[in-house]
Amino acid sequence: MTTQPVPQSSQCTKSDYIVAKFGGTSVANFEAMSRCSEIIVNDKNVRIVAVSASAGVTNHLVELCKAGIEAAKRQQHIDGVLAIQQAILNDLSLDEDLAIGFNQTLDAFQTLAAQTLNTEQQFDELLSFGERLSSYLFTQVLRLKGLKATRFDVRQVLKTDSQFGKATPNVAATAQAAKTHLIPLLDDSVIVTQGFIGSDANNLTTTLGRGGSDYSAALLAEAINAKSVHIWTDVVGIFSTDPRLCVKATPIARLSFDEAAEMATFGAKVLHPATILPASRSHINVFVGSSTEPELGGTWIEREKSQLPGIRAVTQRKNQILLTLKSPEMLLASGFLARIFTILSECNISVDLVTTSEISVAITLDNAPNASRPELDQECLDKLAEFCHVSVENNLTLVALIGSEIVLRQHEMNLMKVLSDFNIRLICHGASKHNLCFLVEQSESDAVVQAIHSRLLESDCAA
């Protein structure tokens, strides 16, 4: 399948601005950074570059945030962060202005990392160091390519609330700060800044949640009224399924915002789900491509509908919880569901799928193993148990068919043949014509995805 390359333009006006984001593997070492710098050199419209932490750094930082970490293990993770930075510096000499800031940031990291951390705000401060350090290094790499590059602290403009660990951006405040501090710099320099992090009204460091660098890039693109945001990662676009599972998985040249949002939400890990929000509301196209093979093109996500209706991809999201709530009081009663969702909201629990019968409701929840706390805690279960019978099932996977104008009857025979060999716990369809979802045992989910892709997509690959 032929994919479309990233278009180039000879003129750069404000309406042509592009925000580029490079993930952790793209800035993992000096060689990777140098390769990415060529992408910036070859596209004069890129005015803002948002970088992730170098690959491996965030894993060390997450471990440092864990309670009860032993001193020796703590030092091991600190040394791990330092080693990744030093490996890049072995091939790179920083200009004086960058060296001063980099060394101060490195000292601040070591001071904080040596302490026992107790608050979510401290965790966010520590987690921010990966992006803060890599942005100094990447700025220098761009300068080596002859570009005028300026390192910029994104916390000056990306404003959020104070929900540390998973902050919500303040779009209006971000736009105003960008107008004051960021936009005046764009005509004169390529700005290198950080993904994933921001600051609240008190200028305390916040984070947007793991993988939030994509989201950061889209928010910055919205704030400067950019034409597009380019997400550079380690794969050639968004595939019809995980190519590690299905060797015949193919990249999809074009997706609508709705399709991309469904794919990201239901398990496609190439793109952070929230990235689509600012892009969609501000009509900013999103490109996803490989920083190692930029000439191969990738996936464009656009406001327009897909060219063809039908299933485009199959995704999976593991570590799901099925919460079933049953009570005779639900029969012909009003307010029962409202009571349930009020409790879930009070416990800050996000619901994915919902199905109901006359006396019960089934809800799926995410239980990602790297989350800072269980998605469903005992306090929430106790509140629900006061007025209904509560059942909790674990070790499930949410499999989703993603596309445009999906109508079940068009695929029913083939799909039923595929699923007849597996135990299906829940099916959800109808709320959106962009997805058809069901729960399966986690031990079977890879086989389910492979079977669906083989039967429904490999004979009519996504276009």
Side-chain angles (χ1 to χ4, degrees):
M1 176 178 176
T2 302
T3 55
Q4 296 189 3
V6 181
Q8 305 298 320
S9 174
S10 59
Q11 298 294 323
C12 184
T13 64
K14 183 177 184 300
S15 62
D16 288 331
Y17 286 160
I18 293 171
V19 176
K21 175 263 178 179
F22 292 99
T25 56
S26 297
V27 293
N29 49 48
F30 177 75
E31 180 182 1
M33 287 187 175
S34 297
R35 192 163 50 238
C36 292
S37 69
E38 292 292 342
I39 295 174
I40 309 305
V41 169
N42 292 331
D43 193 340
K44 305 304 181 185
N45 290 342
V46 176
R47 306 314 297 162
I48 296 178
V49 179
V51 294
S52 296
S54 297
V57 170
T58 300
N59 290 335
H60 287 301
L61 297 177
V62 168
E63 291 298 318
L64 287 167
C65 290
K66 291 184 177 179
I69 183 171
E70 298 178 354
K73 184 66 71 173
R74 179 185 300 278
Q75 190 59 51
Q76 179 181 333
H77 288 298
I78 293 173
D79 291 342
V81 173
L82 298 178
I84 293 171
Q85 311 307 311
Q86 187 56 54
I88 299 173
L89 287 172
N90 288 339
D91 296 304
L92 189 67
S93 179
L94 296 178
D95 292 344
E96 183 177 1
D97 62 318
L98 295 176
I100 292 173
F102 179 85
N103 289 329
Q104 290 174 344
T105 303
L106 205 59
D107 289 344
F109 157 67
Q110 293 183 80
T111 298
L112 183 61
Q115 302 174 21
T116 299
L117 308 183
N118 300 307
T119 69
E120 292 287 344
Q121 192 279 317
Q122 289 178 316
F123 296 158
D124 273 7
E125 182 70 28
L126 185 61
L127 290 172
S128 74
F129 279 103
E131 281 73 13
R132 290 159 64 183
L133 291 168
S134 66
S135 60
Y136 282 107
L137 301 173
F138 194 74
T139 302
Q140 186 64 60
V141 172
L142 289 184
R143 290 182 182 181
L144 291 179
K145 297 293 183 179
L147 294 178
K148 183 176 182 181
T150 301
R151 193 260 186 189
F152 183 86
D153 192 331
V154 78
R155 293 173 294 179
Q156 295 183 60
V157 297
L158 209 164
K159 296 300 178 179
T160 74
D161 64 9
S162 299
Q163 186 180 339
F164 299 104
K166 195 175 182 181
T168 298
N170 184 326
V171 175
T174 297
Q176 183 57 49
K179 182 178 180 180
T180 301
H181 302 293
L182 185 56
I183 291 176
L185 304 176
L186 298 182
D187 287 332
D188 189 50
S189 182
V190 176
I191 302 300
V192 180
T193 193
Q194 307 81 35
F196 174 63
I197 65 177
S199 67
D200 67 4
N202 297 314
N203 292 321
L204 296 174
T205 301
T206 59
T207 67
L208 302 182
R210 190 120 191 217
S213 291
D214 295 347
Y215 190 19
S216 297
L219 289 165
L220 292 173
E222 181 178 41
I224 68 167
N225 192 29
K227 175 180 67 176
S228 61
V229 55
H230 294 178
I231 307 296
W232 294 102
T233 180
D234 54 1
V235 293
V236 186
I238 299 175
F239 280 66
S240 53
T241 197
D242 187 340
R244 294 170 298 182
L245 279 181
C246 301
V247 295
K248 293 186 179 180
T250 56
I252 304 171
R254 276 185 154 73
L255 288 168
S256 69
F257 283 129
D258 288 340
E259 289 171 327
E262 298 280 5
M263 288 187 68
T265 299
F266 290 117
K269 297 179 180 180
V270 177
L271 191 67
H272 190 283
T275 308
I276 303 302
L277 296 176
S280 178
R281 67 185 173 226
S282 298
H283 300 190
I284 299 169
N285 292 338
V286 178
F287 173 80
V288 181
S290 168
S291 62
T292 60
E293 301 176 294
E295 70 281 358
L296 297 183
T299 300
W300 278 103
I301 303 168
E302 303 163 319
R303 189 173 183 84
E304 292 75 17
K305 293 174 63 175
S306 299
Q307 296 176 348
L308 298 174
I311 297 171
R312 315 289 304 286
V314 54
T315 64
Q316 64 171 323
R317 194 165 75 192
K318 297 186 177 183
N319 300 300
Q320 299 299 292
I321 297 172
L322 179 62
L323 175 65
T324 304
L325 308 170
K326 182 177 181 180
S327 173
E329 295 180 15
M330 185 176 172
L331 184 64
L332 302 178
S334 62
F336 186 84
L337 290 178
R339 190 174 180 185
I340 290 173
F341 283 98
T342 296
I343 292 173
L344 295 177
S345 176
E346 290 172 350
C347 296
N348 197 30
I349 291 175
S350 177
V351 172
D352 291 323
L353 302 181
V354 180
T355 62
T356 63
S357 70
E358 288 295 333
I359 61 170
S360 66
V361 56
I363 297 168
T364 67
L365 312 170
D366 194 53
N367 192 35
N370 292 326
S372 59
R373 64 172 180 80
E375 182 65 26
L376 194 61
D377 56 28
Q378 192 60 46
E379 180 183 0
C380 179
L381 292 174
D382 291 342
K383 289 181 179 179
L384 293 168
E386 291 176 2
F387 63 95
C388 60
H389 178 267
V390 179
S391 172
V392 179
E393 298 177 50
N394 293 286
N395 300 316
L396 297 169
T397 294
L398 178 60
V399 176
L401 305 182
I402 308 297
S404 179
E405 302 296 325
I406 294 177
V407 179
L408 183 57
R409 66 176 180 272
Q410 296 174 346
H411 310 282
E412 186 172 320
M413 294 304 296
N414 277 334
L415 185 59
M416 291 304 105
K417 289 178 181 178
V418 172
L419 299 182
S420 63
D421 294 330
F422 304 99
N423 294 317
I424 307 302
R425 186 62 188 85
L426 175 148
I427 296 177
C428 188
H429 178 60
S432 167
K433 289 187 178 181
H434 294 289
N435 73 60
L436 191 164
C437 302
F438 44 92
L439 280 180
V440 300
E441 294 290 337
Q442 191 154 298
S443 59
E444 295 184 329
S445 65
D446 286 356
V448 171
V449 170
Q450 290 167 338
I452 291 174
H453 193 274
S454 175
R455 180 65 67 92
L456 299 183
L457 289 168
E458 290 178 15
S459 60
D460 184 21
C461 290

